[in-house]
Amino acid sequence: MTSPTRSSDDGGPSGEGASGYRPDWGSLRRHRIPEWFRDAKLGIWSHWGPQSVAMSGDWYARHLYGPFEGTEGFEQKRSRRQTALHRERYGHPSQFGHKDLCRLWRAEKFDPEALMDRFRRAGARYFVSMAAHCDNFDLWDSAHQPWNAVNIGPRTDIVARWAAAARSAGLPFGVSMHAGSWTWRWLDAAFAADTEGPLAGVPYDGHLTADDGAGTWWEGLDPRELYGRPRRHGEPPDADFVDNFYARLRDVVDRYGPQLVYLDDARMPFDDGSVCPASPPSPRGLEFLAHYYDTVPESAVSIKTIPAEDRQAVLLDVERGQLGDTDPEPWQYDTSVGDWYYRTGEPYKTAGEIVHLLVDTVSKNGCLLLNVPQLPDGTLDDETAAVLDGLGAWLSACGEAIYGTRPWTVHGEGPTRVEGAKAREATLAYTARDIRFTRDGETVYAFLMAWPEDGRAVIRSLGGGGPLPLRPRGVELLGSTAPVRWEQREDALVVHLPKTPPTPYAQVLRVT
């Protein structure tokens, strides 16, 4: 199943636009992060593909080969775990490597319409599909990568089907591209060999060529198009490899017209500051930005390290990290319910934890992109479904304080805060003194991050004599039909709450 190029009438590519962006930062700074993104607040993301088959978590396509000279310290434990599982279940990676895993991914129960309905009910206001992960396997009918989901495995265009389902549900559609710079660094593992044991020195399957495929299931395919050329760790990428990545990136945006492109890199891939810069650094990323913004209006590209002057040219993405204060520009915080790819037995975030992360992010001018790891067949496990149901129930009661809001004068008050300007995400032990704020016009929403045992919410930032003068006309507790008594003192707004909270998670006061 493929998707034709979309016209300007249905939200997709429309050819060269009137903006006329040039491939330089001076021109690209005219771009603005679209309002739909600022209003959306919550997106759902699908990490799903051949690596899902092993149900062993993220980075499997790299770590199935085991530790080698290029394995960094933080990878060692996971690499040993995943290669042990791979060799027990599938065999030695000289015979069964990442390429063979691609054939085993079938997606036989994939129902994007049903999933999108569930994501919408969970509160999602945009959706992001995997286009290609670091494993270099394209999930669409790729014109420049024969190792793709139409030719191998599911035999269907996953991106096209996600795009159709999202647009049918009225959700802006995005794609994430992790291939390219990460692939060059990642799949160098496929060119290593065991250094000890009975198969010491036997090359892994990265060394195979198209000629080696005669009589195999992959006859006619070239493993070099999946793994890249043989290389040692630390070698800079070839110009042909860079060109292929950008041809694929342009192919996926021209076919499906995504309104958000997530690039898994510190800077534009292969440019100066990239996780894998070319030598010399490649300007192809700026060429892509100019083409994409001219082609798809009201769109954004996210990367992870952005100077202040470029914060509207590209969208800041913070992976599994929280900002300490309100950011003047829109930003995106991405995290996952569990591991990025499905892992059996992985502990999940609770719905309450996700609500707290969402509230803290939105109060600081951000949006939350939440990954939902799917089973290999395309379904969700019961625990994930329960988390989504809990999140959706809370947003049904309190969503008006999230969607379409903007930061208030201060993002919050109380003792529990993210340490520093940016920190790794953590489950914070919120107290009854911890409050977060958003606003919609003249209405201020105060989120009680913990329920006060004495039944009183004491909000210092809304005191009559404080630095933020506000004279409330009314206070209501979202999700509750019971009226609340309140009084504005010089030092605080004090709200007398009912005996029990109306939702299981953060409670929200509407102050008008």
Side-chain angles (χ1 to χ4, degrees):
M1 178 178 178
T2 61
S3 175
T5 300
R6 298 176 63 81
S7 71
S8 59
D9 291 335
D10 55 9
S14 57
E16 291 300 317
S19 298
Y21 290 105
R22 300 185 311 275
D24 62 73
W25 287 112
S27 175
L28 293 165
R29 287 174 190 139
R30 293 189 288 112
H31 175 266
R32 290 293 175 264
I33 304 302
E35 288 298 297
W36 73 257
F37 177 81
R38 299 195 68 193
D39 291 341
K41 306 304 182 189
L42 176 64
I44 295 290
W45 191 11
S46 168
H47 270 66
W48 186 48
Q51 295 177 97
S52 303
V53 171
M55 297 192 292
S56 187
D58 196 20
W59 284 44
Y60 188 85
R62 173 173 170 84
H63 290 152
L64 69 87
Y65 295 100
F68 75 114
E69 63 174 345
T71 306
E72 299 181 52
F74 74 90
E75 301 178 78
Q76 292 285 342
K77 182 177 179 181
R78 178 160 45 182
S79 183
R80 290 189 174 90
R81 173 179 63 81
Q82 290 181 329
T83 195
L85 179 148
H86 185 85
R87 293 170 189 227
E88 178 182 354
R89 185 180 298 174
Y90 303 112
H92 192 266
S94 62
Q95 297 296 319
F96 193 109
H98 166 45
K99 70 180 188 315
D100 303 283
L101 208 66
C102 297
R103 184 173 67 141
L104 297 187
W105 181 45
R106 301 293 186 180
E108 61 270 25
K109 296 182 181 179
F110 180 43
D111 186 344
E113 290 77 21
L115 288 168
M116 204 62 63
D117 179 65
R118 176 173 279 283
F119 298 156
R120 176 84 187 186
R121 286 185 282 113
R125 292 297 179 264
Y126 63 107
F127 175 80
V128 177
S129 165
M130 182 66 61
H133 199 249
C134 315
D135 63 359
N136 216 31
F137 184 89
D138 288 354
L139 271 62
W140 76 96
D141 190 13
S142 178
H144 303 284
Q145 172 56 291
W147 294 83
N148 67 64
V150 174
N151 290 342
I152 302 164
R155 305 282 180 176
T156 189
D157 190 325
I158 300 295
V159 175
R161 294 178 64 185
W162 275 132
R167 286 171 172 137
S168 179
L171 300 183
F173 174 70
V175 296
S176 67
M177 193 72 163
H178 311 246
S181 46
W182 274 114
T183 296
W184 187 263
R185 284 184 55 175
W186 239 47
L187 291 183
D188 54 1
F191 300 102
D194 289 359
T195 57
E196 58 186 18
L199 294 175
V202 176
Y204 300 150
D205 69 331
H207 289 280
L208 297 174
T209 68
D211 290 342
D212 296 313
T216 71
W217 75 264
W218 49 275
E219 184 172 1
L221 292 166
D222 187 351
R224 299 282 170 88
E225 293 184 289
L226 182 64
Y227 298 123
R229 68 157 175 82
R231 57 193 180 276
R232 295 291 296 273
H233 179 70
E235 286 187 44
D238 300 332
D240 287 347
F241 191 87
V242 174
D243 289 345
N244 175 261
F245 167 75
Y246 277 108
R248 289 157 61 196
L249 183 58
R250 182 158 174 166
D251 181 40
V252 76
V253 302
D254 285 353
R255 284 175 184 259
Y256 310 111
Q259 292 170 268
L260 178 68
V261 175
Y262 176 108
L263 296 178
D264 191 4
D265 208 324
R267 295 294 288 164
M268 295 304 292
F270 304 110
D271 202 348
D272 189 33
S274 165
V275 298
C276 185
S279 182
S282 173
R284 295 296 304 277
L286 299 183
E287 296 170 7
F288 167 73
L289 288 175
H291 168 76
Y292 174 60
Y293 288 153
D294 272 342
T295 302
V296 185
E298 297 298 312
S299 60
V301 172
S302 73
I303 56 175
K304 300 174 191 264
T305 305
I306 309 173
E309 62 268 24
D310 296 337
R311 285 291 303 278
Q312 289 282 342
V314 279
L315 173 69
L316 175 66
D317 180 83
V318 182
E319 180 177 334
R320 288 198 188 269
Q322 298 164 269
L323 299 188
D325 209 338
T326 304
D327 196 284
E329 303 290 353
W331 59 285
Q332 179 174 260
Y333 158 45
D334 74 84
T335 190
S336 182
V337 171
D339 202 343
W340 291 113
Y341 277 87
Y342 189 87
R343 179 183 175 189
T344 302
E346 175 77 2
Y348 286 173
K349 292 180 175 67
T350 65
E353 289 171 333
I354 294 169
V355 165
H356 281 150
L357 290 169
L358 173 64
V359 168
D360 188 68
T361 299
V362 171
S363 74
K364 297 169 181 173
N365 205 24
C367 295
L368 171 61
L369 179 59
L370 179 67
N371 178 64
V372 176
Q374 290 164 258
L375 291 161
D377 63 9
T379 58
L380 304 177
D381 66 11
D382 292 342
E383 190 176 358
T384 299
V387 170
L388 292 177
D389 288 345
L391 178 60
W394 184 84
L395 282 164
S396 293
C398 302
E400 71 170 76
I402 295 290
Y403 303 120
T405 62
R406 297 293 182 265
W408 191 48
T409 312
V410 295
H411 82 270
E413 66 180 51
T416 310
R417 307 176 73 89
V418 173
E419 295 295 329
K422 183 189 296 185
R424 196 72 172 164
E425 70 178 16
T427 300
L428 300 177
Y430 286 110
T431 73
R433 290 183 292 155
D434 290 303
I435 315 289
R436 296 293 180 266
F437 301 104
T438 62
R439 67 168 178 85
D440 184 1
E442 297 300 314
T443 299
V444 173
Y445 294 97
F447 297 81
L448 312 182
M449 304 300 273
W451 188 252
E453 292 184 3
D454 65 359
R456 297 188 316 145
V458 180
I459 308 173
R460 302 292 177 185
S461 299
L462 294 176
L468 305 172
L470 180 72
R471 297 292 179 263
R473 300 188 308 274
V475 178
E476 300 168 82
L477 179 63
L478 297 188
S480 173
T481 57
V484 295
R485 293 187 299 108
W486 59 273
E487 56 182 319
Q488 187 180 38
R489 304 188 316 214
E490 283 295 293
D491 63 335
L493 175 68
V494 179
V495 182
H496 301 270
L497 302 167
K499 291 183 178 180
T500 57
T503 82
Y505 316 125
Q507 314 308 317
V508 186
L509 294 168
R510 181 200 293 128
V511 182
T512 55

